[in-house]
Amino acid sequence: MFRLDDTDELKKFNNSHLADSIRGLDKQVEQVFEDLKSFEYSEKYNGIKKIVVCGMGGSGLGMRVFQSVFSEQVKISMELVNGYVLPNYVDSETLVMLCSYSGSTEEVLSCLMDAQKRNAVISYFCAGGELADRASNIGLEGYVFDPKNNPSNQPRMGLGYAITAQIVLFAKLGFIEFGEEEKESILNAIKESNLRFGELMPTENNQAKKVALEILDRQASIVGAEHLRGSAWVMRNQIHENAKNYANAYFLPELNHHLLEGLGFPEGIWEKLYFVLLESENFSKRIKQRFEITRKVLHKQSIEYAVFVPDQKSVLGEIYEVLIFGSWVSYYLAYLNGIDPAPIPFVDFFKEELGKL
């Protein structure tokens, strides 16, 4: 029996309920749709000509996914800010969307003050905290969610909130079109993917388990393109925080212009690298060609890789399938590394030290 097929041991490993959060992604998505079913923005949210989204770590993942799939639909400029200060162009015609799972992210709260100074149009979503309190006090319109379907209580595992809230709120503002068909595509993808990659599916038929076993003791490089860029970034973050394992994310076509020459040194580096290529039948012809040649270059440099091609047919279905796949990979890798996937001791230590200053 493969090591990852001992379901009794995997159940014991789930003390922090992280696996339950992965399985509950569809419930998170359904909750957001239900919560926001009757929500509408007032007229003061009309006339927006620019969008800036502020979010850090897990709270910023929603915008990365949103940009990768909806950038062609949104007809005004969008930018993600991972810092304390807004771009200089932010003004009264700019929507500043504040994203903080905890509601206490100091960079996001700093951006709130900056947005107020610039008379920006401000919205938000969070699970409460100082952001919710401040937003209520100054009359902002947004979404405070109850993270009841994220039993691990880890922001990075609340993807159903972070991504779906981004989608629904921007649809309410008229920036994108999103309906019942898209919603069902997402829910079906999540349910089917949890069956394919969950603990009960044996390793021989479970690519998430296979990839985790290959990444073990190596550095993971996740490669995406087009609509799967955001999902690749999420997978990188979850490998960092869940598995405590080094990982990076690269994107085609940019990767082809530099990284291919950076795989030769230090001597023996190829033994410590493992690439996960997130490919898609929905990619443009040129990107498909680039992936094919990229595989040839990796082979020539003796670097091992896995190719993951989603089973889902729709773009949105593919995105959520990759999110589930990556979540399970990070979870299994944490198990193989012998470490609880939920705590983030060094991030917590850093925040504690910063709070003393």
Side-chain angles (χ1 to χ4, degrees), residues 77-293:
S77 64
M78 291 188 297
E79 183 173 350
L80 173 62
V81 170
N82 302 122
Y84 292 91
V85 182
L86 298 171
N88 193 46
Y89 62 75
V90 170
D91 57 20
S92 60
E93 295 180 323
T94 306
L95 171 70
V96 175
M97 180 69 75
L98 304 167
C99 314
S100 172
Y101 188 97
S102 66
S104 61
T105 311
E106 69 174 50
E107 296 92 336
V108 174
L109 293 172
S110 174
C111 286
L112 169 57
M113 291 187 290
D114 198 9
Q116 287 179 276
K117 291 176 185 176
R118 298 165 186 261
N119 294 315
V121 181
I122 308 170
S123 186
Y124 68 98
F125 61 88
C126 62
E130 188 174 347
L131 177 57
D133 292 340
R134 289 197 198 179
S136 177
N137 289 337
I138 60 178
L140 301 182
E141 298 172 27
Y143 174 39
V144 179
F145 58 86
D146 174 4
K148 60 186 179 181
N149 289 308
N150 181 16
S152 72
N153 218 22
Q154 299 301 315
R156 63 190 178 274
M157 306 313 297
L159 296 174
Y161 301 119
I163 299 171
T164 315
Q166 199 95 69
I167 291 172
V168 175
L169 291 176
F170 281 158
K172 296 279 186 179
L173 287 162
F175 297 134
I176 63 168
E177 293 182 2
F178 192 90
E180 195 65 27
E181 183 178 345
E182 288 79 11
K183 172 187 169 183
E184 290 306 313
S185 176
I186 289 172
L187 292 174
N188 288 337
I190 294 170
K191 291 169 183 174
E192 291 173 9
S193 300
N194 268 322
L195 290 174
R196 286 182 61 206
F197 306 123
E199 305 104 315
L200 296 181
M201 182 62 70
T203 299
E204 61 182 351
N205 298 318
N206 189 328
Q207 196 172 1
K209 290 183 178 180
K210 290 179 181 178
V211 167
L213 286 163
E214 292 291 349
I215 293 175
L216 182 63
D217 294 328
R218 294 200 268 193
Q219 300 175 15
S221 293
I222 316 302
V223 181
E226 296 181 341
H227 60 280
L228 293 181
R229 289 170 59 95
S231 299
W233 193 277
V234 173
M235 186 172 176
R236 182 206 73 160
N237 274 35
Q238 291 189 338
I239 289 175
H240 285 168
E241 294 192 82
N242 292 342
K244 299 10 176 200
N245 206 102
Y246 186 86
N248 215 328
Y250 297 100
F251 310 108
L252 268 63
E254 172 66 19
L255 171 157
N256 301 136
H257 292 270
H258 57 88
L259 181 63
L260 300 179
E261 297 297 343
L263 302 173
F265 295 95
E267 189 72 26
I269 191 174
W270 52 87
E271 296 177 357
K272 280 294 184 182
L273 294 178
Y274 191 78
F275 277 65
V276 181
L277 308 179
L278 304 177
E279 304 192 28
S280 167
E281 291 301 319
N282 286 313
F283 283 160
S284 63
K285 179 180 178 181
R286 200 60 171 166
I287 289 296
K288 289 179 181 178
Q289 292 170 337
R290 282 182 173 271
F291 266 107
E292 182 178 353
I293 300 171

